[in-house]
Amino acid sequence: MAANPPANSPPPKPWENAGGTSGPAPFKPPSPGSTSDVVEASGTARPGEIVSNTTTSVVNRNTVGRPMPARPWEQSYGTTGYGTSSYGGLNNGLSYNSGYGGYGSTLGTVGMYGGGGMYGGGMYGSSMYNRGGYGGGLYGSSGMYGGGMYGSGGLGGPMGGYEMGGMGGPYGAQDPNNPYGPPSGPPGFWMSFLRVMEGVVNFFGRISILIDQNTQAVHLFMSALLQLFDRSGMLYGELARFVLRLLGFRTKPRKVQQSHGPPGALPLPGPENGHGSQYSIEQSKAAPAGGWDNVWEK
Amino acid sequence: MPVFKTPFNGYAVKFSPFYESRIAVATAQNFGILGNGRLHVLDFSTPAVTEIAAFDTADGVYDAAWSESHDSLLVAAVADGSVKLYDLALPPPQNPIRSLHEHSREVHGVDYNTIRRDSFVTASWDDSLKLWTLDRPTSVRTFKEHAYCVYAAAWNPRHADVFASASGDCTVRIWDVREPNSTMILPAHEYEVLSCDWNKYDDCVLATCSVDKSVKVWDVRSFRVPITVLNGHGYAVRKVRFSPHMRNLMVSCSYDMTVCMWDFGVEDALVARYDHHTEFAVGVDMSVLVEGLMASTGWDEMVYVWQHGTDPRAP
């Protein structure tokens, strides 16, 4: 800090000359000296201590009286009540009647939308209703972590790829202990992938923190949205297909829907002939859809 | 009244303790979810707000605090878990003069010790707080008791060793830097506590605000029941600050896009409501040098500075 201007002091605070307090304060009298000296003299100094996020609650003085949810970015997949079991069961895409969770899960099932699954299923559901289900919908139903991605990276959480590299994974030919060796090459696919996934976790973590602080706002928004679609007779799954269709994806019909269809009215289309979505489109028109009738028509 | 538009979404605003027309504004791109950040230093001594400096960061800046010992130093709490020190006296390429990487998650709050003036404390989503001094390259010690993200910290204005922290575990904890554990735990709200601040004229009085839309005022000597509960915000209350000039006056900002001024000593506590922001109002401060001067910022990318009682949008 050599380049700093000489130490100076701001103008006195307005409260410095004011009278004392409303009574004796329950604090120990101040100690003389600088902060570093005071802390070191007290024996509590731990310079540069790195906090491992998974072991922070060394002294658990949780006075809340209820278990705190896992942080959005540290999921314990399926091992706790927050895991995939609570929402993962909705992944079949048929859970229209299971409320908000079903909506998100349906989107998430398609696999293309990590964010979609997270939005409806985990975050909304969890934060609105006693914050229980961060894990389930958030990452579980999106299926992005399902393949043991983090299992292999478990050596060091999100940075697991680095340790793996040193052990001869992507950098197999190099000696990690040779300081004179060739410079390391560009990160391999898995390392890049892990970094991207770390970014994804960060992203969802921040989203869910925000949603958590905005539960009422999200509730209003989602209520309005659901009311709108309920009123027009659209089911959540159809909404998902509608979105996917806008994005250029064609979805396959489901057997359940076939049983609901007019008996013998339509031939069973193959998934490759492009009529699959057409079929479900015509099904959806059967709903009392009012002004939405023409939405599905090309 | 001075108005400034930032390129990113505002997160915090702080008046300089040295210059009455200088503020620091912490901003983050894409609502702080993903992207870069920028720390602005603005001067509004002339009718047109001038930008003295702007420092870019690779991740959002969630909070900032002015040094109480050097008029050109300020600290930024960055979403990548780092704490950065900037010196306005140096050219931008030489900044930040220090980047401290110890928190493992986003740093969401920072507060500078106004009595000793040599230290500051940071609050992070890794559930911990860290105490830093300017003469050490690493943190002096770490405070880890909270069971969820810590959103804010505030030094007691009369006790150099005491500060409070507000956390998503619904508690506020009071710490003495000489003690190994927290000295007091206030189960302050039913929902996440987002901010806290000490009364400047009574060192035992603390204000907290929460997702439950309320602001509560506490006496730490009898913290079972709050002194008062201030209801009036429509959504979660994001930040609360006591007036540096009036004992009973405080200001809060909320996701309901308003900034409210309260007098917790009277029954009809809501003194004023400012609805000048068009998005979440997440940063508010009161000048320690000019009585009644306030500043706020929000996700509408606007920074307002105005005198209490006037319209922030008035030209």
Side-chain angles (χ1 to χ4, degrees), chain A residues 4 40 49 64 71 213, chain B residues 87 127 130 136 144 255:
Chain A
N4 288 338
E40 278 167 7
E49 184 179 2
V64 185
R71 248 65 84 230
Q213 296 175 11
Chain B
D87 190 344
D127 304 359
K130 279 179 177 288
R136 301 289 165 92
K144 40 183 189 182
Y255 287 122

Side-chain angles (χ1 to χ4, degrees), chain A residues 1 3-11 13-16 18-40 42 44-53 56-64 66 68-73 131 134 199 201-203 205-207 209-210 212-217 220, chain B residues 17-18 32-33 59 62 68-72 79 87 97-98 102 104-106 116-119 125-128 130-131 133 135-136 138-142 144-145 147-149 151 156-159 161 168-171 173 177-182 185 190 192 194 198 200-204 211 213 221 235-236 238 244-245 255 280 288-289 299:
Chain A
M1 216 87 25
N4 288 338
N8 49 15
S9 297
K13 306 294 182 204
W15 59 84
E16 284 179 11
T21 65
S22 55
F27 307 123
K28 280 169 46 177
S31 305
S34 72
T35 300
S36 318
D37 295 340
V38 167
V39 175
E40 278 167 7
S42 71
T44 58
R46 300 281 183 279
E49 184 179 2
I50 302 293
V51 176
S52 164
N53 193 221
T56 41
S57 301
V58 177
V59 182
N60 188 2
R61 293 188 172 182
N62 180 8
T63 58
V64 185
R66 61 174 181 265
M68 298 304 295
R71 248 65 84 230
W73 52 82
R131 315 162 32 136
Y134 270 129
V201 172
N202 276 333
F203 175 80
R206 287 180 195 171
I207 283 269
I209 287 277
L210 281 170
D212 210 34
Q213 296 175 11
N214 284 286
T215 45
Q216 300 100 334
L220 278 180
Chain B
F18 291 88
I33 296 168
D59 212 330
Y62 284 167
E68 296 280 340
S69 61
H70 298 78
D71 60 353
S72 62
D87 190 344
I97 54 174
R98 198 169 287 179
E102 283 188 25
S104 58
R105 301 296 316 180
E106 289 80 346
R116 282 222 184 83
R117 297 174 183 156
D118 65 346
S119 58
W125 290 3
D126 67 8
D127 304 359
S128 76
K130 279 179 177 288
L131 174 67
T133 57
D135 59 346
R136 301 289 165 92
T138 60
S139 64
V140 176
R141 66 167 292 195
T142 305
K144 40 183 189 182
E145 266 183 34
Y148 202 68
C149 307
Y151 292 119
N156 189 299
R158 289 178 187 271
H159 295 270
D161 302 307
D169 67 5
C170 310
T171 67
R173 286 168 200 253
V177 298
R178 299 161 294 185
E179 300 290 337
N181 298 317
S182 62
I185 305 172
E190 284 292 307
E192 289 188 279
L194 300 181
W198 294 93
K200 305 297 181 279
Y201 293 87
D202 191 333
D203 55 356
C204 294
V211 166
K213 306 184 259 186
R221 292 164 297 193
Y235 290 134
R238 182 58 186 263
H245 297 272
Y255 287 122
F280 296 157
V288 72
L289 299 175
W299 282 14

Side-chain angles (χ1 to χ4, degrees), chain B residues 73-86:
Chain B
L73 266 189
L74 70 165
V75 188
V78 187
D80 62 3
S82 68
V83 179
K84 296 187 191 301
L85 264 69
Y86 294 94

Side-chain angles (χ1 to χ4, degrees), chain A residues 4-265:
Chain A
N4 288 338
N8 49 15
S9 297
K13 306 294 182 204
W15 59 84
E16 284 179 11
N17 296 323
T21 65
S22 55
F27 307 123
K28 280 169 46 177
S31 305
S34 72
T35 300
S36 318
D37 295 340
V38 167
V39 175
E40 278 167 7
S42 71
T44 58
R46 300 281 183 279
E49 184 179 2
I50 302 293
V51 176
S52 164
N53 193 221
T54 53
T55 58
T56 41
S57 301
V58 177
V59 182
N60 188 2
R61 293 188 172 182
N62 180 8
T63 58
V64 185
R66 61 174 181 265
M68 298 304 295
R71 248 65 84 230
W73 52 82
E74 48 171 48
Q75 302 304 315
S76 51
Y77 305 99
T79 56
T80 71
Y82 307 125
T84 53
S85 57
S86 51
Y87 286 93
L90 306 179
N91 265 350
N92 54 21
L94 295 174
S95 50
Y96 298 147
N97 59 352
S98 59
Y100 308 136
Y103 169 51
S105 296
T106 310
L107 275 182
T109 309
V110 186
M112 174 239 149
Y113 257 8
M118 175 215 77
Y119 189 80
M123 286 213 312
Y124 180 60
S126 67
S127 51
M128 271 311 297
Y129 299 114
N130 74 24
R131 315 162 32 136
Y134 270 129
L138 194 58
Y139 301 114
S141 61
S142 71
M144 303 183 84
Y145 288 88
M149 227 279 303
Y150 261 52
S152 64
L155 294 169
M159 302 303 282
Y162 282 114
E163 281 88 353
M164 290 172 66
M167 294 190 304
Y171 291 155
Q174 294 179 11
D175 179 1
N177 296 316
N178 179 9
Y180 305 107
S184 57
F189 169 75
W190 282 109
M191 287 180 65
S192 306
F193 183 70
L194 282 171
R195 286 181 194 168
V196 170
M197 293 314 292
E198 191 191 359
V200 170
V201 172
N202 276 333
F203 175 80
F204 289 155
R206 287 180 195 171
I207 283 269
S208 57
I209 287 277
L210 281 170
I211 296 288
D212 210 34
Q213 296 175 11
N214 284 286
T215 45
Q216 300 100 334
V218 176
H219 176 67
L220 278 180
F221 174 73
M222 290 302 291
S223 302
L225 203 66
L226 293 172
Q227 261 186 357
L228 177 70
F229 291 130
D230 276 347
R231 201 167 292 164
S232 60
M234 285 175 65
L235 293 173
Y236 309 145
E238 288 166 350
L239 169 69
R241 281 199 295 280
F242 176 63
V243 172
L244 287 171
R245 186 160 178 78
L246 287 180
L247 292 169
F249 289 85
R250 290 169 183 273
T251 51
K252 286 190 282 188
R254 290 195 184 83
K255 287 179 181 174
V256 174
Q257 289 174 336
Q258 289 161 20
S259 66
H260 290 175

